[in-house]
Amino acid sequence: MAFEPKELQKEIKYEEIRIYSDAELNNYTEEELKNFKIKHDIPDLDDLEKGPWPSFVADAKQGALHRRKLADDRMLIDRDVIEDMLGQLQISFDEGETHWKHGGIVGVFGYGGGVIGRYSDLPEKYPSIAHFHTVRVAQPSSKFYDSNFLRTVCDLWEYRGSGLMNLHGSTGDLVLLGTTTEQLEPIFFELTHEMQVDIGGSGSNLRTPECCIGKARCEWSCYDTQDLCYELTQYYQDELHRPAFPYKFKFKFDGCPNGCVASIARSDMSFIGTWRDDIRIDQEAVKAYIAGEVVPNGGAHKGRDWGKFDIQKEVLDLCPTKCMWMEDGELKIDNAECTRCMHCISVMPKALRPGTDTGVTILCGAKAPILEGAQMATLIVPFMKAEPPYDNIKEFIEKVWEWWMEEGKNRERLGELIQRATLPKFLEVLELPAMPQYVKEPRSNPYILWKEEDVPGGWSRDIKDYRARHKR
Amino acid sequence: MEELKKAIIEFAESSKKTKFYFKDIEKAVQKVNPDAKMREIKKACTALINDGTMIYFSTGSSTMYGLKGRGMTEDPE
């Protein structure tokens, strides 16, 4: 099925709107780079370049030299911005303390997110980074770019910003690092009007939703991740740009349980493609794998000789629920026991495929903070159809938001609220019955809390009477 | 809407603080106007932002609201 854009897309032609000529973009020689010293002494940063890995310091030096050699009127913020950034970083290494201040009222008109104010607390020493704001640019679904788009963003950022960027942030955005307050509105105008791209989310709002490559290129995708991601992004524009949540909220969309965007670990609401019928088996292809006629794992590990493919050792024995076996030369699966681990499908993609009655599993409450408190998501909806216009999914999302916005404390993520209020409470709010899928294993699940009306005959309990007999 | 806007401004002006979480605004508005719904309060806040009475303050991870010109400068504290 060919891609059809939902609205008219402007074709970006870099050659027509480029800011810099090739000569300006390649304005220094290897020799000059080798002898280049920035204006500050940065011994520890120089040291970082010596390791085996590519270094951001080397990249930053290239940017600094490039800016040194550009004409004055070819950039709108200070020439020394990268050099000062490196200089301040060295001071931070020396002192073991950061000199960045963050937060403020910078932003573009009407938006509460997408721009993060950043300032140096040593503005006299490093004047060009006194203002060094970050702009988050929403990535296209699955990060489908073409070089026209990327080159145009790079030109824009060299002209109106520092030229430093970070692709991609954890939420998938293009992170443009370092510009001044005056440049924000012009950057926003050019991104939205010339390039048809929005700025992403930051602060207490819906963050830029992110999806895997989905049906665009992956045969395992159980729903159209890009379509759902785009639809919810458009539908919840207000939540994305006008923050009124207790804290951040992230959606991520994985097309199958392989989870290429790791939604289960990183998003407050994770959508993972699944199926509720049987895994499709092509018995002839199974035989071909066993006979060694087809390379396993889609050829992913073929760089080394791993010996003959052993279906028992490499597939059947590794099934977490042991629901597969060979019988009279045929592969059998007890589908009711399958936990959708995707291992067998990933090893033998020609022989096994997800079922055809597909939809999403919804999990809630993951977070991945930098310092502490990482938490995996909890299964909430084992299966839901995911077809346009996705009203069932929107209804679910809004029930969750309503409760979280009502009950959540300031800076409390959904996962923390579920833990504080208990899972049964969350299920009650969502009007969902407790399901066997919530139980990880018998007798070890902490989520059972009885209410008096649930128990025939109820109970009465006098806490004072109890305490009279049981000391604390 | 006008009533809600008034309540928000009154709360923001009377408080010692200069920046407010949305939840705190919501609670304060519901104290004087118990029937006010969260979404309506949010819309009132957005209207105040759009007419320039209020401004967002964002740390990058969380966002707060404040009255323009009252203890809120472009530089962070």
Side-chain angles (χ1 to χ4, degrees), chain A residues 27-68:
Chain A
N27 63 354
Y28 57 87
T29 62
E30 285 299 312
E31 195 58 28
E32 283 174 305
L33 182 64
K34 224 173 167 181
N35 300 320
F36 175 61
K37 288 263 176 299
I38 71 157
K39 66 179 190 178
H40 305 288
D41 204 19
I42 49 165
D44 292 324
L45 298 186
D46 289 334
D47 210 44
L48 287 177
E49 282 187 88
K50 291 181 188 152
W53 310 105
S55 166
F56 72 95
V57 178
D59 290 350
K61 282 182 179 172
Q62 289 179 19
L65 176 57
H66 170 65
R67 286 183 84 81
R68 273 234 195 141

Side-chain angles (χ1 to χ4, degrees), chain A residues 110-295:
Chain A
Y111 276 32
V115 178
I116 301 136
R118 232 165 271 280
Y119 304 87
S120 167
D121 67 6
L122 299 169
E124 286 84 23
K125 200 164 179 192
Y126 303 108
S128 29
I129 53 166
H131 289 203
F132 196 77
H133 310 316
T134 296
V135 181
R136 287 191 186 152
V137 180
Q139 78 279 21
S141 287
S142 314
K143 307 192 183 76
F144 269 104
Y145 301 117
D146 73 353
S147 58
N148 281 301
F149 177 86
L150 287 172
R151 284 164 165 237
T152 310
V153 175
C154 290
D155 267 25
L156 170 69
W157 194 239
E158 296 213 0
Y159 190 55
R160 295 191 177 273
S162 70
L164 293 169
M165 45 199 334
N166 168 17
L167 267 64
H168 300 88
S170 303
T171 311
D173 310 270
L174 294 93
V175 185
L176 312 184
L177 299 164
T179 194
T180 58
T181 308
E182 306 78 70
Q183 292 303 326
L184 294 172
E185 288 292 347
I187 290 167
F188 179 56
F189 182 89
E190 285 184 34
L191 286 170
T192 47
H193 289 74
E194 299 296 328
M195 304 185 64
Q196 280 191 313
V197 67
D198 201 358
I199 59 176
S202 72
S204 306
N205 60 14
L206 175 63
R207 301 301 184 84
T208 322
E210 186 182 25
C211 63
C212 72
I213 200 118
K215 288 193 168 173
R217 291 193 65 189
C218 180
E219 65 200 48
W220 293 329
S221 191
C222 293
Y223 67 101
D224 192 338
T225 56
Q226 296 175 315
D227 188 54
L228 180 56
C229 184
Y230 182 80
E231 170 65 24
L232 296 185
T233 306
Q234 296 296 348
Y235 191 77
Y236 292 119
Q237 279 289 297
D238 204 51
E239 281 74 10
L240 233 159
H241 298 306
R242 292 175 189 87
F245 285 157
Y247 203 20
K248 60 177 95 162
F249 194 94
K250 299 179 182 180
F251 287 144
K252 291 192 197 295
F253 307 90
D254 277 311
C256 80
N258 271 343
C260 290
V261 292
S263 66
I264 195 169
R266 311 192 296 153
S267 58
D268 298 271
M269 196 177 282
S270 154
F271 298 85
I272 303 180
T274 190
W275 61 93
R276 58 180 169 184
D277 51 352
D278 296 346
I279 294 177
R280 285 174 284 168
I281 310 178
D282 176 347
Q283 296 292 356
E284 290 309 309
V286 174
K287 285 185 189 123
Y289 275 107
I290 295 172
E293 292 158 17
V294 187
V295 266

Side-chain angles (χ1 to χ4, degrees), chain B residues 35-73:
Chain B
D35 298 332
K37 293 257 164 21
M38 184 259 296
R39 277 192 190 273
E40 292 166 7
I41 301 172
K42 185 189 165 183
K43 279 185 185 152
C45 281
T46 305
L48 286 168
I49 296 270
N50 287 343
D51 68 23
T53 317
M54 286 183 101
I55 40 174
Y56 289 118
F57 177 97
S58 172
T59 65
S61 68
S62 43
T63 312
M64 302 170 96
Y65 293 74
L67 285 174
K68 191 170 186 175
R70 188 165 175 269
M72 302 259 289
T73 58

Side-chain angles (χ1 to χ4, degrees), chain A residues 68-110:
Chain A
R68 273 234 195 141
K69 300 199 75 181
L70 276 180
D72 276 339
D73 62 346
R74 302 299 282 148
M75 54 196 150
L76 296 179
I77 73 164
D78 216 286
R79 179 187 295 282
D80 294 341
V81 57
I82 300 178
E83 297 186 44
D84 275 0
M85 184 279 291
L86 290 171
Q88 179 174 293
L89 184 56
Q90 176 64 45
I91 297 286
S92 302
F93 271 117
D94 293 341
E95 299 174 355
E97 273 180 342
T98 182
H99 286 284
W100 291 117
K101 299 186 287 180
H102 69 117
I105 59 170
V106 290
V108 293
F109 185 71

Side-chain angles (χ1 to χ4, degrees), chain A residues 400-418:
Chain A
V400 172
W401 277 350
E402 205 163 295
W403 180 64
W404 176 54
M405 289 171 81
E406 185 72 31
E407 299 293 327
K409 295 179 181 175
N410 290 329
R411 296 173 67 85
E412 185 173 47
R413 295 283 288 270
L414 176 64
E416 293 158 343
L417 174 61
I418 296 173

